[in-house]
Amino acid sequence: MRIYHGKSVYGGIAIGKIKVHNREDVTVKRIRVEVPEQEVNRYESAKETAMKQLKTLYDKACAEVGDANAAIFEIHQMMLEDADYQESIRHIIRTQKVNAEYAVATTGRNFSNIFSTMEDAYMQARAEDVRDISERLITILAGGEQQRQQEEEPMILAAEDLVPSETVQLDKSKVLAFVTVKGSANSHTAILARTMNIPAIVGIDLPLDDTIDGKIVIVNGTQGIVYVEPEPEILERMKEKQQEERQQRELLQSLKGKESVTLDGKKICLYANIGNSKDLALVLQNDADGIGLFRSEFIYLEREKFPTEEEQFHIYKTVAETMAGKKTIIRTLDIGADKQAGYFHLEPEENPAMGLRAIRLCLTRPEIFKTQLRALFRAAVFGDLAVMYPMITSVNEVRRIQEVVAEVTAELKKEDIPYRVPEQGIMIETPAAVMVSDMLAKEVEFFSIGTNDLSQYTMAIDRQNPHLDSFFEPHSEAVLRMIAMTVENAHKEGIWVGICGELGSDTALTERFLKMGVDELSVAPGHVLSVRKAIRETDLNA
Ligand code: PEP
Ligand code: MG
């Protein structure tokens, strides 16, 4: 038995034969031609065929994984129509008097190199797309059908990498799982895999040769492990696990598309928490009604320098567009305490959880805050975005935030940049905020209760300190009363209130929360369906 480790893209266990997929290398030769116009015509007709193929792929993907995830094939169509890309191909054919294949390959390589050296992550991702469309054109010009040969027997696919068009063409009834040596959990391929419910691992150091091909393997997508020629006990254990997972999934799957509504008819907004636009697929896959907490600080933590306004704008816009009209609440930068990024150069603190963090940092360094607000307000034009501010303790802080908001909107207006001031709310995660929640409710449009910090500050238990576990009461009456008080004060002022801390997914408390009047629960994507089950089993009149 050999064991390989990689990055989990999608959980689940698959057992079967592995097939090494080698993308046919279409070697492109440079051939001199006498009549370049004939080559230009060959290129034009290959482009038409490619457009038709992409339209078919788009329709297939729409039906299987939804419009938002199918959008990549629309992007490919747009790239094929790009005037610079087309002009470069025609120009190479005409000036160098060469075959269309060579002109497409050269243009594809040049454009892809340009994109991959750009700083913007969104533009870098386009490098892969240019390669993909150029390969498609070359395959058509070479007379091939860009159709991956499907195996008769369902198998586990191993490849160096998979481009999105290859992933969507996989026949799900024939592919049990896929593992790739390259690829990031961030790629379109990974997003598609998640939505397609195929166990998948990327970044695995698997030799793609005869030592693997055709062998029996186990893919444990959840843990990112591949066992090649597994020992009988492992095989038995994994089969049992597979069976358990299947039963649990099936039970919950039946709740997809169903309303998050109590037995007596109260509709609850059941949203998901994410840390990155990478997690969007999980939101869709688990059928969340929206995003209740996007922890935007992860955008900062993943980088070595401040994300620019443009970078942030693209991320927020992508999220807003992908959520297609469903509410998406983005929390502004909550850095400090356990979440540190060196380039902020924050002074070491004696008590970081009570230190210069979250909104305090944003109000102290308005240039950072303003960049994020500009990006958020610009992205709000593209969907139902809402913004919430973390670690609020007083009305005064909310007013200071509003002063910055006014400056930002005045600047955007002056610069004639389209923007929209989205719905604005605050996190209730300090006892101070709970105690003045009647006053705060007059200042904002919603509350979201952060039970992780609220528990830490109410019980005076450092959430990072494992030695305090025996003192930590997960269902602390003190915290539950704080929640009840917040809900009451929010409703008196006619604003809605949700819970986005971990307690929100504790199904032992769902009934209690709903009886308090909580309007929204935002939980990890993998918990959405189990919380929906609990909501649907609650009777508020009982
Ligand atoms: C919380 O404090 O409950 C919360 C949701 O925010 P975070 O866990 O990111 O501090
Ligand atoms: Mg918090």
Side-chain angles (χ1 to χ4, degrees), residues 24 88 123 135 256 402:
E24 277 154 58
S88 163
M123 296 313 283
E135 270 173 28
K256 275 194 187 171
Q402 288 313 314

Side-chain angles (χ1 to χ4, degrees), residues 62-110:
C62 270
E64 287 183 3
V65 294
D67 303 11
N69 291 304
I72 184 67
F73 300 111
E74 261 189 337
I75 295 179
H76 282 195
Q77 290 179 55
M78 265 152 47
M79 288 179 123
L80 263 181
E81 296 277 24
D82 179 79
D84 292 333
Y85 179 79
Q86 298 197 64
E87 212 23 63
S88 163
I89 295 170
R90 294 189 196 110
H91 183 76
I92 291 175
I93 297 176
R94 289 186 176 127
T95 55
Q96 301 186 30
K97 294 199 166 55
V98 287
N99 52 329
E101 287 88 336
Y102 178 80
V104 171
T106 310
T107 302
R109 205 171 38 245
N110 292 347

Side-chain angles (χ1 to χ4, degrees), residues 85 88 120 208 226 230 256 460 477 493 533:
Y85 179 79
S88 163
D120 185 312
L208 297 175
V226 172
K256 275 194 187 171
E477 193 52 35
E493 289 302 325
K533 182 168 175 284

Side-chain angles (χ1 to χ4, degrees), residues 303-370:
R303 285 172 170 69
E304 314 245 303
K305 55 183 180 0
F306 288 105
T308 62
E309 180 183 326
E310 279 318 295
E311 279 173 324
Q312 293 192 59
F313 168 65
H314 277 298
I315 295 170
Y316 305 144
K317 176 171 172 276
T318 304
V319 178
E321 285 173 343
T322 309
M323 290 307 288
K326 290 183 181 163
K327 193 181 289 298
T328 301
I329 305 174
I330 304 199
R331 170 177 75 189
T332 56
L333 181 62
D334 184 10
I335 213 139
D338 54 313
K339 291 177 267 190
Q340 294 285 345
Y343 62 86
F344 276 78
H345 300 297
L346 298 175
E347 302 250 328
E349 293 172 305
E350 192 87 348
N351 255 318
M354 297 191 190
L356 187 63
R357 55 169 294 201
I359 203 65
R360 300 169 183 179
L361 184 81
C362 288
L363 290 172
T364 314
R365 293 170 67 177
E367 70 291 353
I368 302 175
F369 193 30
K370 280 170 86 173

